[in-house]
Amino acid sequence: MDEVKYVCRNDGRNDVKTAFIFSCPGQEEMKSGKLVNGQTGKNLDVMLSILNKSYPDIFPYTNRYDYRITNSSQQVHYKAFDGRTEPRKDEIISEDNIRRLYDDIMNYKYIITFGKCASLAAQRAAEMFDSKDKIIMYSQHLSFLSLNSSIKEDIHGDPIERGSKDSTYKRLEVTAQKIIDQLR
């Protein structure tokens, strides 16, 4: 199967010093032409509203498209397309890809990675280029699968009932708290 590259990145607003790195474009991004589309994007907006309350100087807006958004790989992946949902390690760590990624994030102080692929890409970019002035924070992916499988308790240590009305919000609070903890 031929590789399909999705070259768009979301530039965001000029006054924001925070950038997000996700894994790769998928089916929703290919259809819409926007990064972090679908439920993952909605979850990012909810998490931004939580982060905005604690750190409005770092997270001044609650809409994801006010921020720089890029991916660890430009190649489109989704099950029905190529049988994958994540990029291969070799496509992430290629020198050209890491240079592209660094160019995308070089003007940002705070970099938040979502998922293992994004974390690997950010680590490689930090190794390849001077990144002493950057604070790189690591988070799990914001998909339902990732949130539901890994977060079982809310920020108070109480069990989260799967399928309850506010279970996703509680899981996003936990994820936001982990980012806040990395800022301290």
Side-chain angles (χ1 to χ4, degrees):
M1 172 159 299
D2 292 333
E3 292 179 352
V4 173
K5 288 191 177 181
Y6 185 83
V7 295
C8 181
R9 72 168 185 242
N10 186 74
D11 287 336
R13 297 171 59 118
N14 290 333
D15 62 332
V16 175
K17 52 190 169 187
T18 305
F20 304 127
I21 304 173
F22 281 83
S23 181
C24 64
Q27 184 173 7
E28 293 297 320
E29 290 76 15
M30 196 164 152
K31 283 184 200 175
S32 70
K34 290 185 172 186
L35 292 180
V36 192
N37 202 32
Q39 191 59 51
T40 297
K42 292 175 187 173
N43 287 346
L44 178 56
D45 283 345
V46 171
M47 196 177 75
L48 283 169
S49 70
I50 297 166
L51 292 167
N52 172 266
K53 292 174 187 165
S54 297
Y55 284 95
D57 56 322
I58 299 172
F59 305 101
Y61 304 104
T62 58
N63 182 313
R64 65 190 174 271
Y65 296 119
D66 289 329
Y67 296 83
R68 168 62 55 96
I69 302 173
T70 189
N71 284 302
S72 69
S73 169
Q74 293 180 330
Q75 294 179 22
V76 174
H77 295 288
Y78 58 93
K79 284 275 186 205
F81 177 65
D82 64 356
R84 304 181 62 84
T85 59
E86 296 284 336
R88 296 178 320 275
K89 183 178 179 181
D90 65 316
E91 75 186 70
I92 294 171
I93 64 171
S94 76
E95 188 173 333
D96 287 345
N97 186 59
I98 295 301
R99 285 187 188 286
R100 174 209 50 91
L101 178 65
Y102 190 79
D103 287 346
D104 283 355
I105 63 172
M106 66 187 228
N107 294 322
Y108 295 84
K109 179 173 182 172
Y110 302 98
I111 314 297
I112 302 175
T113 66
F114 293 95
K116 292 177 184 175
C117 293
S119 294
L120 172 62
Q123 288 169 349
R124 289 296 171 104
E127 291 167 7
M128 188 179 265
F129 302 99
D130 182 18
S131 59
K132 293 180 201 120
D133 62 336
K134 301 190 181 325
I135 298 170
I136 301 174
M137 294 165 275
Y138 304 96
S139 176
Q140 68 189 72
H141 200 278
L142 297 181
S143 68
F144 278 146
L145 178 63
S146 177
L147 293 171
N148 291 339
S149 65
S150 64
I151 301 175
K152 305 297 182 193
E153 296 178 344
D154 66 18
I155 58 173
H156 306 292
D158 297 325
I160 298 174
E161 290 184 43
R162 189 175 181 124
S164 67
K165 182 181 175 185
D166 59 353
S167 62
T168 299
Y169 184 84
K170 288 179 179 180
R171 287 182 172 94
L172 291 169
E173 280 184 314
V174 170
T175 304
Q177 186 59 53
K178 289 177 181 178
I179 291 170
I180 290 168
D181 290 347
Q182 293 175 71
L183 287 167
R184 293 184 177 151

